[in-house]
Structure formats: structure tokens, C-alpha cells
């Protein structure tokens, strides 16, 4: 069992930065690939980024490449999403997810077993 709690969302102007954190409890965090997803009002949930269990492999949706960086600190059971050069279209609820005991990255939400409650990111123009 993994409990995930996101933090770090908020309101920021276009071009600004935010860093999201996802604190995980449970013994399987270090065996789990982690992902970030987002969902804007009226839209389907979208994959944003993922990282493998040791942090050596990352994957990003094209729209955030070169702007967002996913990282993890296994000593702190925490995964991060550094978001730079934010755009209004990045506005969404952002969710952290864990793949249970699977260590490789995946873009499909169905591959993730545990989800956080989400944190809102709003980018004003």
C-alpha cells in the first residue's frame, strides 16, 4: 500500500515556475516507478512525466519537454515535478501516481496502482 500526498500547487503568472512535491508513505516506494498526470476542466486526464525506480530514466509528454523536470529522492520517499516557463494551457489539477512494484516508466494511467488527491496549478496570462 502506498499513500501519496501532493503539494506545491498554486497560482502563477505565465512564464513563472512552480515545484510540485509528492510525498509517499509505504514500503514499496523504492520499488515503484512514479508518474505525474494532469486533468483540466472538461478534458481527459493526461500523462505529463514519469520516472523509473532509480531515477535513471524519465519520460515526458511533448508539450512539457524542456520545461518540466521530474526527479525523485528515494531517501525522502518523494518525487518532484519542477515546472518552468509555465503557460496558461498548463492549468490543471496535477496528480502523482505510483506503479506499485513495477519499476519502469509507463504513460498509461491504468498502469498506476496508487494516486494522490491532486494539487491545483493555475497559470494566468
Amino acid at each position: 500500500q502506498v499513500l501519496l500526498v501532493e503539494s506545491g500547487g498554486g497560482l502563477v503568472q505565465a512564464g513563472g515556475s512552480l515545484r510540485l512535491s509528492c510525498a509517499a508513505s509505504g514500503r514499496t516506494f523504492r520499488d515503484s516507478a512514479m508518474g505525474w498526470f494532469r486533468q483540466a476542466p472538461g478534458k481527459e486526464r493526461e500523462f505529463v512525466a514519469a520516472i523509473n525506480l532509480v531515477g535513471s530514466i524519465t519520460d515526458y509528454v511533448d508539450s512539457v519537454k524542456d520545461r518540466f523536470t521530474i526527479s525523485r529522492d528515494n531517501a525522502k520517499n518523494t518525487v518532484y515535478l519542477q515546472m518552468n516557463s509555465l503557460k496558461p494551457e498548463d492549468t490543471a489539477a496535477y496528480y502523482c501516481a505510483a506503479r506499485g512494484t513495477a519499476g519502469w516508466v509507463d504513460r498509461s494511467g491504468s498502469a498506476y496502482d496508487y494516486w494522490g488527491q491532486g494539487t491545483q496549478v493555475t497559470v494566468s496570462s
Side-chain angles (χ1 to χ4, degrees), residues 36-40 43-49 61-64 89-95 107 109 115:
W36 285 97
F37 292 77
R38 65 187 180 187
Q39 187 167 21
K43 294 187 177 181
E44 293 187 352
R45 183 178 61 194
E46 175 188 33
F47 167 79
V48 176
V61 66
D62 285 348
S63 60
V64 308
E89 51 264 44
D90 294 319
T91 295
Y94 283 71
Y95 298 89
R107 293 189 171 200
W115 294 81

Side-chain angles (χ1 to χ4, degrees), residues 2-6 20-24 28-29 31-38 45-52 70-72 78-81 94-102 104-119:
V2 177
L3 178 64
L4 305 173
V5 179
E6 302 99 333
L20 305 184
S21 299
C22 174
T28 61
F29 176 81
D31 297 326
S32 304
M34 301 294 295
W36 285 97
F37 292 77
R38 65 187 180 187
R45 183 178 61 194
E46 175 188 33
F47 167 79
V48 176
I51 188 166
N52 71 341
I70 188 171
S71 61
R72 66 190 294 161
T78 302
V79 62
Y80 305 97
L81 186 67
Y94 283 71
Y95 298 89
C96 171
R99 288 206 65 196
T101 56
W104 55 95
V105 299
D106 198 296
R107 293 189 171 200
S108 173
S110 62
Y112 293 79
D113 301 299
Y114 305 102
W115 294 81
Q117 83 290 348
T119 186

